[in-house]
mmCIF file of all heavy atoms in Angstrom:
data_model
loop_
_atom_site.group_PDB
_atom_site.id
_atom_site.type_symbol
_atom_site.label_atom_id
_atom_site.label_comp_id
_atom_site.label_asym_id
_atom_site.label_seq_id
_atom_site.Cartn_x
_atom_site.Cartn_y
_atom_site.Cartn_z
ATOM 1 N N SER A 266 5.088 -14.946 19.425
ATOM 2 C CA SER A 266 5.226 -14.106 20.717
ATOM 3 C C SER A 266 4.263 -12.911 20.624
ATOM 4 O O SER A 266 3.913 -12.472 19.543
ATOM 5 C CB SER A 266 6.572 -13.688 21.022
ATOM 6 O OG SER A 266 6.994 -12.720 20.015
ATOM 7 N N MET A 267 3.913 -12.386 21.710
ATOM 8 C CA MET A 267 3.220 -11.132 21.754
ATOM 9 C C MET A 267 3.811 -10.193 22.769
ATOM 10 O O MET A 267 4.327 -10.685 23.773
ATOM 11 C CB MET A 267 1.700 -11.253 22.073
ATOM 12 C CG MET A 267 0.914 -12.034 21.031
ATOM 13 S SD MET A 267 -0.792 -12.082 21.413
ATOM 14 C CE MET A 267 -1.274 -13.485 20.401
ATOM 15 N N SER A 268 3.870 -8.945 22.555
ATOM 16 C CA SER A 268 4.517 -7.952 23.467
ATOM 17 C C SER A 268 3.782 -6.665 23.516
ATOM 18 O O SER A 268 3.059 -6.292 22.644
ATOM 19 C CB SER A 268 5.998 -7.916 23.060
ATOM 20 O OG SER A 268 6.125 -7.295 21.818
ATOM 21 N N ARG A 269 4.172 -5.911 24.588
ATOM 22 C CA ARG A 269 3.834 -4.574 24.735
ATOM 23 C C ARG A 269 5.061 -3.717 25.261
ATOM 24 O O ARG A 269 5.704 -4.281 26.100
ATOM 25 C CB ARG A 269 2.638 -4.346 25.778
ATOM 26 C CG ARG A 269 1.316 -4.730 25.175
ATOM 27 C CD ARG A 269 0.723 -3.658 24.407
ATOM 28 N NE ARG A 269 -0.629 -3.988 23.889
ATOM 29 C CZ ARG A 269 -1.613 -3.063 23.641
ATOM 30 N NH1 ARG A 269 -1.276 -1.842 23.848
ATOM 31 N NH2 ARG A 269 -2.723 -3.448 23.175
ATOM 32 N N GLU A 270 5.212 -2.570 24.684
ATOM 33 C CA GLU A 270 6.381 -1.884 25.225
ATOM 34 C C GLU A 270 5.977 -0.283 25.081
ATOM 35 O O GLU A 270 5.056 -0.076 24.299
ATOM 36 C CB GLU A 270 7.632 -2.141 24.371
ATOM 37 C CG GLU A 270 7.621 -1.721 22.928
ATOM 38 C CD GLU A 270 8.838 -2.164 22.210
ATOM 39 O OE1 GLU A 270 9.222 -3.332 22.285
ATOM 40 O OE2 GLU A 270 9.432 -1.271 21.513
ATOM 41 N N THR A 271 6.686 0.451 25.858
ATOM 42 C CA THR A 271 6.393 1.887 25.709
ATOM 43 C C THR A 271 7.706 2.714 26.042
ATOM 44 O O THR A 271 8.474 2.331 26.913
ATOM 45 C CB THR A 271 5.335 2.251 26.689
ATOM 46 O OG1 THR A 271 4.927 3.672 26.529
ATOM 47 C CG2 THR A 271 5.759 2.175 28.200
ATOM 48 N N THR A 272 7.866 3.767 25.298
ATOM 49 C CA THR A 272 8.875 4.739 25.560
ATOM 50 C C THR A 272 8.314 5.829 26.362
ATOM 51 O O THR A 272 7.294 6.417 26.115
ATOM 52 C CB THR A 272 9.364 5.180 24.181
ATOM 53 O OG1 THR A 272 10.058 4.179 23.436
ATOM 54 C CG2 THR A 272 10.508 6.367 24.464
ATOM 55 N N PHE A 273 9.048 6.122 27.455
ATOM 56 C CA PHE A 273 8.568 7.178 28.360
ATOM 57 C C PHE A 273 8.598 8.504 27.817
ATOM 58 O O PHE A 273 9.551 8.800 26.917
ATOM 59 C CB PHE A 273 9.333 7.088 29.745
ATOM 60 C CG PHE A 273 9.485 5.680 30.212
ATOM 61 C CD1 PHE A 273 10.764 5.230 30.630
ATOM 62 C CD2 PHE A 273 8.425 4.794 30.283
ATOM 63 C CE1 PHE A 273 10.924 3.963 31.123
ATOM 64 C CE2 PHE A 273 8.635 3.529 30.722
ATOM 65 C CZ PHE A 273 9.930 3.053 31.093
ATOM 66 N N ASP A 274 7.934 9.513 28.360
ATOM 67 C CA ASP A 274 7.997 10.891 27.862
ATOM 68 C C ASP A 274 9.452 11.522 28.247
ATOM 69 O O ASP A 274 9.941 12.300 27.652
ATOM 70 C CB ASP A 274 6.900 11.801 28.575
ATOM 71 C CG ASP A 274 5.544 11.430 28.017
ATOM 72 O OD1 ASP A 274 5.470 11.026 26.803
ATOM 73 O OD2 ASP A 274 4.591 11.439 28.729
ATOM 74 N N ARG A 275 9.911 10.899 29.404
ATOM 75 C CA ARG A 275 11.252 11.408 29.868
ATOM 76 C C ARG A 275 11.938 10.120 30.387
ATOM 77 O O ARG A 275 11.296 9.163 30.830
ATOM 78 C CB ARG A 275 11.197 12.423 30.901
ATOM 79 C CG ARG A 275 10.336 12.025 32.181
ATOM 80 C CD ARG A 275 10.251 13.058 33.200
ATOM 81 N NE ARG A 275 9.440 12.590 34.262
ATOM 82 C CZ ARG A 275 9.914 11.869 35.330
ATOM 83 N NH1 ARG A 275 11.106 11.678 35.413
ATOM 84 N NH2 ARG A 275 8.992 11.413 36.274
ATOM 85 N N ASP A 276 13.272 10.114 30.530
ATOM 86 C CA ASP A 276 13.860 8.941 31.033
ATOM 87 C C ASP A 276 13.618 8.782 32.465
ATOM 88 O O ASP A 276 13.433 9.775 33.277
ATOM 89 C CB ASP A 276 15.411 9.178 30.862
ATOM 90 C CG ASP A 276 15.852 9.088 29.460
ATOM 91 O OD1 ASP A 276 15.044 8.685 28.550
ATOM 92 O OD2 ASP A 276 17.005 9.453 29.131
ATOM 93 N N LEU A 277 13.525 7.580 32.959
ATOM 94 C CA LEU A 277 13.051 7.280 34.298
ATOM 95 C C LEU A 277 14.186 6.530 35.006
ATOM 96 O O LEU A 277 14.841 5.721 34.462
ATOM 97 C CB LEU A 277 11.780 6.395 34.348
ATOM 98 C CG LEU A 277 10.577 7.120 33.746
ATOM 99 C CD1 LEU A 277 9.309 6.240 33.821
ATOM 100 C CD2 LEU A 277 10.219 8.417 34.495
ATOM 101 N N HIS A 278 14.240 6.809 36.360
ATOM 102 C CA HIS A 278 15.232 6.117 37.194
ATOM 103 C C HIS A 278 14.661 4.956 38.007
ATOM 104 O O HIS A 278 13.648 5.200 38.621
ATOM 105 C CB HIS A 278 15.960 7.052 38.137
ATOM 106 C CG HIS A 278 16.909 7.906 37.448
ATOM 107 N ND1 HIS A 278 16.406 9.065 36.791
ATOM 108 C CD2 HIS A 278 18.242 7.930 37.293
ATOM 109 C CE1 HIS A 278 17.461 9.656 36.189
ATOM 110 N NE2 HIS A 278 18.622 8.968 36.495
ATOM 111 N N ALA A 279 15.230 3.802 38.037
ATOM 112 C CA ALA A 279 14.660 2.649 38.675
ATOM 113 C C ALA A 279 14.349 3.008 40.149
ATOM 114 O O ALA A 279 13.385 2.544 40.715
ATOM 115 C CB ALA A 279 15.630 1.495 38.572
ATOM 116 N N VAL A 280 15.230 3.740 40.776
ATOM 117 C CA VAL A 280 14.949 4.091 42.200
ATOM 118 C C VAL A 280 14.052 5.259 42.409
ATOM 119 O O VAL A 280 12.916 5.203 42.956
ATOM 120 C CB VAL A 280 16.343 4.324 42.972
ATOM 121 C CG1 VAL A 280 16.165 4.741 44.381
ATOM 122 C CG2 VAL A 280 17.211 3.082 42.804
ATOM 123 N N ARG A 281 14.467 6.433 41.780
ATOM 124 C CA ARG A 281 13.788 7.648 41.969
ATOM 125 C C ARG A 281 12.354 7.550 41.483
ATOM 126 O O ARG A 281 11.379 8.172 41.972
ATOM 127 C CB ARG A 281 14.476 8.777 41.259
ATOM 128 C CG ARG A 281 14.062 10.105 41.841
ATOM 129 C CD ARG A 281 14.768 11.334 41.187
ATOM 130 N NE ARG A 281 16.048 11.069 40.504
ATOM 131 C CZ ARG A 281 16.232 11.376 39.198
ATOM 132 N NH1 ARG A 281 15.287 12.036 38.514
ATOM 133 N NH2 ARG A 281 17.479 11.163 38.661
ATOM 134 N N ASP A 282 12.157 6.885 40.260
ATOM 135 C CA ASP A 282 10.794 6.823 39.653
ATOM 136 C C ASP A 282 10.168 5.378 39.821
ATOM 137 O O ASP A 282 9.440 4.984 38.985
ATOM 138 C CB ASP A 282 10.867 7.183 38.187
ATOM 139 C CG ASP A 282 11.566 8.547 37.972
ATOM 140 O OD1 ASP A 282 11.020 9.488 38.605
ATOM 141 O OD2 ASP A 282 12.546 8.662 37.310
ATOM 142 N N ARG A 283 10.533 4.751 40.910
ATOM 143 C CA ARG A 283 10.085 3.428 41.186
ATOM 144 C C ARG A 283 8.620 3.227 41.001
ATOM 145 O O ARG A 283 8.132 2.294 40.376
ATOM 146 C CB ARG A 283 10.552 2.943 42.517
ATOM 147 C CG ARG A 283 10.534 1.507 42.681
ATOM 148 C CD ARG A 283 10.694 1.005 44.107
ATOM 149 N NE ARG A 283 10.067 -0.221 44.380
ATOM 150 C CZ ARG A 283 10.710 -1.355 44.279
ATOM 151 N NH1 ARG A 283 12.006 -1.332 44.046
ATOM 152 N NH2 ARG A 283 10.063 -2.568 44.499
ATOM 153 N N ALA A 284 7.841 4.115 41.658
ATOM 154 C CA ALA A 284 6.410 3.971 41.709
ATOM 155 C C ALA A 284 5.763 4.164 40.332
ATOM 156 O O ALA A 284 4.989 3.317 39.861
ATOM 157 C CB ALA A 284 5.838 5.026 42.607
ATOM 158 N N GLU A 285 6.358 5.142 39.552
ATOM 159 C CA GLU A 285 5.778 5.405 38.209
ATOM 160 C C GLU A 285 6.146 4.191 37.339
ATOM 161 O O GLU A 285 5.306 3.698 36.483
ATOM 162 C CB GLU A 285 6.455 6.695 37.638
ATOM 163 C CG GLU A 285 5.821 7.123 36.355
ATOM 164 C CD GLU A 285 6.355 8.505 35.943
ATOM 165 O OE1 GLU A 285 7.104 9.103 36.710
ATOM 166 O OE2 GLU A 285 6.030 8.872 34.789
ATOM 167 N N LEU A 286 7.383 3.639 37.410
ATOM 168 C CA LEU A 286 7.798 2.553 36.683
ATOM 169 C C LEU A 286 6.880 1.307 36.991
ATOM 170 O O LEU A 286 6.581 0.545 36.026
ATOM 171 C CB LEU A 286 9.315 2.105 36.891
ATOM 172 C CG LEU A 286 10.285 3.002 36.103
ATOM 173 C CD1 LEU A 286 11.667 2.763 36.571
ATOM 174 C CD2 LEU A 286 10.237 2.504 34.624
ATOM 175 N N GLY A 287 6.701 1.104 38.217
ATOM 176 C CA GLY A 287 5.863 0.031 38.695
ATOM 177 C C GLY A 287 4.505 0.086 38.058
ATOM 178 O O GLY A 287 3.920 -0.917 37.572
ATOM 179 N N ALA A 288 3.900 1.320 38.014
ATOM 180 C CA ALA A 288 2.570 1.436 37.556
ATOM 181 C C ALA A 288 2.522 1.182 36.001
ATOM 182 O O ALA A 288 1.610 0.534 35.457
ATOM 183 C CB ALA A 288 2.029 2.831 37.834
ATOM 184 N N ILE A 289 3.523 1.675 35.349
ATOM 185 C CA ILE A 289 3.651 1.453 33.899
ATOM 186 C C ILE A 289 3.829 -0.011 33.567
ATOM 187 O O ILE A 289 3.125 -0.562 32.698
ATOM 188 C CB ILE A 289 4.892 2.234 33.287
ATOM 189 C CG1 ILE A 289 4.579 3.722 33.311
ATOM 190 C CG2 ILE A 289 5.146 1.817 31.845
ATOM 191 C CD1 ILE A 289 5.788 4.638 33.090
ATOM 192 N N PHE A 290 4.618 -0.698 34.384
ATOM 193 C CA PHE A 290 4.888 -2.108 34.081
ATOM 194 C C PHE A 290 3.562 -2.916 34.286
ATOM 195 O O PHE A 290 3.213 -3.792 33.513
ATOM 196 C CB PHE A 290 5.986 -2.577 35.065
ATOM 197 C CG PHE A 290 6.412 -4.006 34.702
ATOM 198 C CD1 PHE A 290 6.733 -4.411 33.417
ATOM 199 C CD2 PHE A 290 6.522 -4.923 35.769
ATOM 200 C CE1 PHE A 290 7.152 -5.685 33.163
ATOM 201 C CE2 PHE A 290 6.931 -6.271 35.466
ATOM 202 C CZ PHE A 290 7.285 -6.637 34.181
ATOM 203 N N THR A 291 2.873 -2.574 35.336
ATOM 204 C CA THR A 291 1.513 -3.302 35.620
ATOM 205 C C THR A 291 0.665 -3.053 34.424
ATOM 206 O O THR A 291 0.009 -3.988 33.970
ATOM 207 C CB THR A 291 0.933 -2.743 36.932
ATOM 208 O OG1 THR A 291 1.798 -2.970 37.997
ATOM 209 C CG2 THR A 291 -0.434 -3.446 37.261
ATOM 210 N N ARG A 292 0.576 -1.859 33.956
ATOM 211 C CA ARG A 292 -0.331 -1.560 32.828
ATOM 212 C C ARG A 292 0.016 -2.330 31.645
ATOM 213 O O ARG A 292 -0.710 -2.904 30.972
ATOM 214 C CB ARG A 292 -0.397 -0.069 32.549
ATOM 215 C CG ARG A 292 -1.349 0.392 31.540
ATOM 216 C CD ARG A 292 -1.546 1.886 31.540
ATOM 217 N NE ARG A 292 -0.314 2.681 31.525
ATOM 218 C CZ ARG A 292 0.381 2.895 30.393
ATOM 219 N NH1 ARG A 292 0.117 2.379 29.267
ATOM 220 N NH2 ARG A 292 1.507 3.521 30.537
ATOM 221 N N LEU A 293 1.310 -2.376 31.340
ATOM 222 C CA LEU A 293 1.799 -3.077 30.176
ATOM 223 C C LEU A 293 1.381 -4.602 30.296
ATOM 224 O O LEU A 293 0.960 -5.216 29.305
ATOM 225 C CB LEU A 293 3.348 -3.018 30.014
ATOM 226 C CG LEU A 293 3.834 -1.642 29.526
ATOM 227 C CD1 LEU A 293 5.385 -1.567 29.662
ATOM 228 C CD2 LEU A 293 3.521 -1.354 28.157
ATOM 229 N N CYS A 294 1.546 -5.175 31.463
ATOM 230 C CA CYS A 294 1.186 -6.580 31.739
ATOM 231 C C CYS A 294 -0.366 -6.786 31.572
ATOM 232 O O CYS A 294 -0.770 -7.823 30.914
ATOM 233 C CB CYS A 294 1.609 -7.047 33.111
ATOM 234 S SG CYS A 294 3.387 -7.039 33.366
ATOM 235 N N GLU A 295 -1.150 -5.871 31.995
ATOM 236 C CA GLU A 295 -2.554 -5.915 31.797
ATOM 237 C C GLU A 295 -2.947 -5.937 30.343
ATOM 238 O O GLU A 295 -3.728 -6.579 29.877
ATOM 239 C CB GLU A 295 -3.224 -4.918 32.611
ATOM 240 C CG GLU A 295 -3.167 -5.118 34.089
ATOM 241 C CD GLU A 295 -3.562 -3.963 34.980
ATOM 242 O OE1 GLU A 295 -3.746 -2.778 34.507
ATOM 243 O OE2 GLU A 295 -3.664 -4.197 36.223
ATOM 244 N N GLN A 296 -2.329 -4.926 29.612
ATOM 245 C CA GLN A 296 -2.625 -4.799 28.244
ATOM 246 C C GLN A 296 -2.194 -6.146 27.463
ATOM 247 O O GLN A 296 -2.951 -6.567 26.657
ATOM 248 C CB GLN A 296 -1.744 -3.649 27.614
ATOM 249 C CG GLN A 296 -2.449 -2.236 27.988
ATOM 250 C CD GLN A 296 -1.456 -1.167 27.592
ATOM 251 O OE1 GLN A 296 -0.274 -1.346 27.397
ATOM 252 N NE2 GLN A 296 -2.081 0.009 27.419
ATOM 253 N N LEU A 297 -1.035 -6.635 27.760
ATOM 254 C CA LEU A 297 -0.548 -7.795 27.067
ATOM 255 C C LEU A 297 -1.515 -9.026 27.395
ATOM 256 O O LEU A 297 -1.793 -9.862 26.520
ATOM 257 C CB LEU A 297 0.828 -8.192 27.551
ATOM 258 C CG LEU A 297 1.516 -9.396 26.953
ATOM 259 C CD1 LEU A 297 1.385 -9.336 25.435
ATOM 260 C CD2 LEU A 297 3.026 -9.451 27.404
ATOM 261 N N ALA A 298 -1.849 -9.153 28.744
ATOM 262 C CA ALA A 298 -2.771 -10.216 29.089
ATOM 263 C C ALA A 298 -4.094 -10.098 28.333
ATOM 264 O O ALA A 298 -4.646 -11.062 27.789
ATOM 265 C CB ALA A 298 -3.057 -10.260 30.591
ATOM 266 N N ALA A 299 -4.576 -8.896 28.171
ATOM 267 C CA ALA A 299 -5.798 -8.647 27.396
ATOM 268 C C ALA A 299 -5.673 -9.002 25.917
ATOM 269 O O ALA A 299 -6.525 -9.619 25.380
ATOM 270 C CB ALA A 299 -6.209 -7.234 27.582
ATOM 271 N N ASP A 300 -4.453 -8.652 25.398
ATOM 272 C CA ASP A 300 -4.213 -9.050 23.992
ATOM 273 C C ASP A 300 -4.255 -10.594 23.794
ATOM 274 O O ASP A 300 -4.865 -11.157 22.899
ATOM 275 C CB ASP A 300 -2.770 -8.554 23.598
ATOM 276 C CG ASP A 300 -2.770 -7.113 23.472
ATOM 277 O OD1 ASP A 300 -3.785 -6.402 23.504
ATOM 278 O OD2 ASP A 300 -1.557 -6.609 23.514
ATOM 279 N N LEU A 301 -3.591 -11.266 24.794
ATOM 280 C CA LEU A 301 -3.542 -12.781 24.678
ATOM 281 C C LEU A 301 -4.984 -13.314 24.779
ATOM 282 O O LEU A 301 -5.365 -14.133 24.010
ATOM 283 C CB LEU A 301 -2.664 -13.280 25.809
ATOM 284 C CG LEU A 301 -1.208 -13.081 25.741
ATOM 285 C CD1 LEU A 301 -0.465 -13.276 27.001
ATOM 286 C CD2 LEU A 301 -0.574 -14.048 24.676
ATOM 287 N N GLN A 302 -5.693 -12.792 25.786
ATOM 288 C CA GLN A 302 -7.051 -13.312 25.949
ATOM 289 C C GLN A 302 -7.947 -13.031 24.778
ATOM 290 O O GLN A 302 -8.691 -13.900 24.360
ATOM 291 C CB GLN A 302 -7.665 -12.779 27.262
ATOM 292 C CG GLN A 302 -6.953 -13.210 28.473
ATOM 293 C CD GLN A 302 -7.119 -12.398 29.729
ATOM 294 O OE1 GLN A 302 -8.073 -11.567 29.826
ATOM 295 N NE2 GLN A 302 -6.252 -12.498 30.692
ATOM 296 N N ARG A 303 -7.859 -11.799 24.227
ATOM 297 C CA ARG A 303 -8.789 -11.461 23.122
ATOM 298 C C ARG A 303 -8.436 -12.320 21.965
ATOM 299 O O ARG A 303 -9.295 -12.754 21.206
ATOM 300 C CB ARG A 303 -8.487 -9.963 22.793
ATOM 301 C CG ARG A 303 -9.223 -9.476 21.579
ATOM 302 C CD ARG A 303 -9.358 -7.962 21.587
ATOM 303 N NE ARG A 303 -8.065 -7.316 22.121
ATOM 304 C CZ ARG A 303 -6.969 -7.209 21.448
ATOM 305 N NH1 ARG A 303 -6.898 -7.574 20.214
ATOM 306 N NH2 ARG A 303 -5.855 -6.655 22.043
ATOM 307 N N LYS A 304 -7.085 -12.596 21.680
ATOM 308 C CA LYS A 304 -6.744 -13.467 20.538
ATOM 309 C C LYS A 304 -6.751 -14.967 20.784
ATOM 310 O O LYS A 304 -6.533 -15.758 19.873
ATOM 311 C CB LYS A 304 -5.356 -13.000 20.084
ATOM 312 C CG LYS A 304 -5.356 -11.626 19.546
ATOM 313 C CD LYS A 304 -3.942 -11.089 19.231
ATOM 314 C CE LYS A 304 -3.957 -9.697 18.697
ATOM 315 N NZ LYS A 304 -2.604 -9.013 18.703
ATOM 316 N N GLY A 305 -6.853 -15.323 22.037
ATOM 317 C CA GLY A 305 -7.093 -16.726 22.392
ATOM 318 C C GLY A 305 -5.715 -17.468 22.420
ATOM 319 O O GLY A 305 -5.642 -18.577 21.926
#
Side-chain angles (χ1 to χ4, degrees):
Chain A
S266 69
M267 291 184 200
S268 63
R269 283 281 183 150
E270 66 185 51
T271 189
T272 296
F273 316 131
D274 291 327
R275 57 180 179 91
D276 293 347
L277 297 180
H278 287 80
V280 178
R281 200 179 342 124
D282 303 307
R283 195 194 156 93
E285 192 174 352
L286 276 168
I289 291 169
F290 189 48
T291 301
R292 184 166 49 79
L293 288 171
C294 293
E295 286 165 354
Q296 288 172 335
L297 180 54
D300 293 341
L301 287 162
Q302 289 160 21
R303 178 163 33 81
K304 294 175 181 162

